[in-house]
Amino acid sequence: MARLALIPGDGVGPEVVAEATRVLEILARDPELTLELETLDLGADRFLATGRSITEEEFRRLSDDFDAILLGALGDPRVPGNEHARDILLGLRFRMDLYVNYRPCRVRHPRLSPLHHPDGRAMDLHIFRENTEGVYTGAGGTLRGGTDQEIAIEEDVNTRHGVERIVRAAFEFAHEGGRKRVTLVDKANAMPHGGALWRRTFHEVASTYPEVRTETMYVDAMVMDLVRRPAHHDVVVTSNLFGDILSDLAAALTGGLGLAASANVNPETGRALFEPVHGSAPDIAGSGRANPIAAILCTALLMDHLGRPDLAGLVNGVVAEALQAGLGTPDLGGEATTSEVGRWIAGRVAMRMSAGVEPNDD
Ligand code: NAD
Ligand code: IPM
Ligand code: MN
């Protein structure tokens, strides 16, 4: 039995998690998959009502009592400092030591990419974003706050341990999946201390994977190149901040944030948190316009994590069918609502499961 914690969160989070849950409930009809779901009320409403974002006991339960977490999104205009979202989301990533933030970005239908692919090759990018260090640790501080002499320092923390394990995870993924190349993305020309550590570690780890080709690129050149020749790039390993920025660009190149799923994992402990790459989208929350596909694709990543690649393939395949059929919310140029897309996908997953047929998502 797999126990799954649901954190719908803020804005469109609950709307898209409801559709992912609909799909999970269908997947749980599989005789060998027992899922137990529990919803936690973490988010802006509770924070504003009680002043508590997440308690020690909730951290403990989320770490120890569940096999995985599915999170919608956190962030609310009523909390302009974003404190609760940092406490909960970064808190879970850091305290559960979920050091791999894996963000696959694949063009699932050529119509969806804003780029023209004259040679027919489309982007199939796998971002390995370091998830426990960088400028996200909170190291730093403010001096003389609020005065005209204010000093604000945000330290960029890079440890050998932290860098080595994410680089190794990227190479391991490339090795296992027969991927051709791993690219290190950094800014070593302007940030030489961290840059040297990342580059030395990258080349050392690379030497133990002689069959995988390597490349290093500065992040400014990388964003240009992702637009210029998206299909060239394969596996990317990078720091927390650069990975955050690159993943929104990469998502846009596949058809938008509404299609981008991610996994925060610790491969050694098996702990995992799945979430769409997008945020709470306050501009469309409550309107039925949110695309639930990113959240639904999180269920595919979860199935892989639970050792059910067959069910992951099923979800991916049905999403491909939906996109092929032109079904979509307004961000994809469609007219369907969040729940219409969710119901269509859940219905097809159910049909495929009862027919015992698994569509191919390629
Ligand atoms: P966002 O991702 O919420 O929205 C950016 C744009 O993409 C908006 O125009 C939005 O309408 C659109 N969009 C996002 N998801 C969509 C979906 N599923 N379907 C259709 N359109 C979608 O980013 P933002 O506006 O910068 O941030 C809003 C809030 O979300 C902030 O508080 C931010 O900190 C937070 N945030 C949270 C997470 C997370 O919880 N993992 C991730 C990113 C941002
Ligand atoms: C993401 C988000 C978060 C991040 C924010 C909400 C702190 O943008 O998951 O991509 O920067 O990691
Ligand atoms: Mn982001």
Side-chain angles (χ1 to χ4, degrees):
M1 197 216 2
R3 285 159 305 166
L4 182 65
L6 301 176
I7 305 178
D10 304 327
V12 299
E15 301 167 39
V16 298
V17 166
E19 303 312 318
T21 304
R22 204 190 289 282
V23 172
L24 284 173
E25 280 165 357
I26 304 289
L27 293 171
R29 291 182 187 167
D30 181 284
E32 272 139 53
L33 182 76
T34 311
L35 285 179
E36 194 180 285
L37 309 183
E38 181 179 331
T39 302
L40 282 82
D41 70 346
L42 306 180
D45 283 345
R46 194 186 91 177
F47 179 62
L48 288 166
T50 68
R52 278 180 294 117
S53 50
I54 179 166
T55 64
E56 282 302 311
E57 174 58 8
E58 283 163 336
F59 272 127
R60 192 206 57 73
R61 287 199 66 216
L62 285 163
S63 293
D64 299 343
D65 294 354
F66 296 95
D67 295 290
I69 303 168
L70 174 65
L71 185 145
L74 291 162
D76 187 298
R78 295 170 298 165
V79 188
N82 210 33
E83 295 85 353
H84 73 298
R86 275 199 307 283
D87 288 353
I88 300 165
L89 181 59
L90 302 187
L92 289 168
R93 289 177 184 168
F94 280 57
R95 295 178 61 148
M96 291 170 69
D97 201 23
L98 306 174
Y99 69 86
V100 175
N101 193 329
Y102 170 59
R103 297 184 157 184
C105 303
R106 171 151 69 98
V107 176
R108 293 171 186 268
H109 191 283
R111 167 179 55 85
L112 299 171
S113 173
L115 301 178
H116 181 53
H117 303 291
D119 60 359
R121 290 172 70 223
M123 185 165 86
D124 181 16
L125 184 73
H126 301 264
I127 297 177
F128 281 72
R129 166 186 177 188
E130 201 292 319
N131 214 27
T132 56
E133 302 191 343
V135 291
Y136 276 68
T137 64
T142 298
L143 283 172
R144 305 189 198 116
T147 74
D148 59 3
Q149 315 239 315
E150 180 162 339
I151 301 173
I153 297 175
E154 215 84 64
E155 304 263 23
D156 185 13
V157 177
N158 302 271
T159 68
R160 169 72 197 208
H161 168 70
V163 172
E164 184 171 338
R165 63 184 185 170
I166 186 69
V167 169
R168 203 169 283 289
F171 275 96
E172 198 51 37
F173 174 84
H175 171 73
E176 291 282 315
R179 316 289 315 189
K180 56 185 181 302
R181 188 188 307 101
V182 178
T183 304
L184 170 66
V185 176
D186 66 10
K187 190 65 190 169
N189 49 354
M191 297 157 72
H193 309 303
L197 171 58
W198 274 86
R199 287 201 172 202
R200 196 179 339 107
T201 308
F202 179 74
H203 291 300
E204 280 176 29
V205 172
S207 69
T208 64
Y209 293 89
E211 78 289 1
V212 181
R213 275 186 276 159
T214 62
E215 192 172 31
T216 55
M217 285 189 90
Y218 300 129
V219 65
D220 47 352
M222 181 64 175
V223 294
M224 180 274 299
D225 211 45
L226 264 184
V227 174
R228 190 170 64 117
R229 42 172 198 166
H232 168 79
H233 299 286
D234 193 347
V235 180
V236 160
V237 63
T238 192
S239 66
N240 209 336
L241 180 63
F242 294 157
D244 177 46
I245 298 167
L246 281 181
S247 53
D248 272 28
L249 169 64
L253 299 181
T254 67
L257 278 170
L259 297 175
S262 77
N264 302 259
V265 292
N266 181 314
E268 283 76 44
T269 62
R271 293 198 166 114
L273 181 160
F274 300 88
E275 55 173 338
V277 173
H278 66 72
S280 55
D283 53 336
I284 56 166
S287 70
R289 294 166 68 86
N291 187 344
I293 291 181
I296 289 171
L297 288 172
C298 286
T299 71
L301 292 173
L302 170 69
M303 289 303 122
D304 265 329
H305 179 73
L306 295 177
R308 293 301 304 268
D310 55 328
L311 295 179
L314 183 70
V315 173
N316 275 309
V318 170
V319 166
E321 266 184 65
L323 297 174
Q324 177 72 38
L327 180 76
T329 39
D331 54 305
L332 299 184
E335 287 173 1
T337 63
T338 309
S339 70
E340 282 166 359
V341 172
R343 281 175 206 279
W344 192 97
I345 293 173
R348 281 296 161 110
V349 170
M351 267 165 55
R352 299 286 177 185
M353 284 181 72
S354 55
V357 179
E358 288 160 24
N360 187 338
D361 61 327
D362 289 326

